[in-house]
Amino acid sequence: MPEREVNLDVEVEIRDADTAVVSVGGELDIETATMLHHHLANQFLHGRRHLVLDLSALDFMDSSGLNVLIRAGRDARESGGDLHLAAPTPAVRRILEITGLTMTTPLHADVTDALVAAGHEG
């Protein structure tokens, strides 16, 4: 049986010693959630406590992806930092809102707004 192609793109832009913007595109599901978790954990490992996730190119997210975001938010708070979500597509925004994740993790219209809210200029 052929392996399904992994349809998740993750790009990391280091803004300063403790801040990174992580752009996530494609599909965040059971097959790709571990990959994103490793990228986010690596940022915490390198001392970046303030993460902005740019979700503008994320077409799909299931509960596996949601769990990665919940864990990342918890890890950020435990390290004295924070997680900000930016520019989700309508389908992803709906999942974030109906699951209540937006109650604990700030949601922003774009990356610039998220960086300002995180205490960094855009």
Side-chain angles (χ1 to χ4, degrees), residues 103-118:
M103 302 292 278
T104 58
T105 305
L107 188 60
H108 305 279
D110 56 38
V111 170
T112 301
D113 287 354
L115 285 167
V116 169

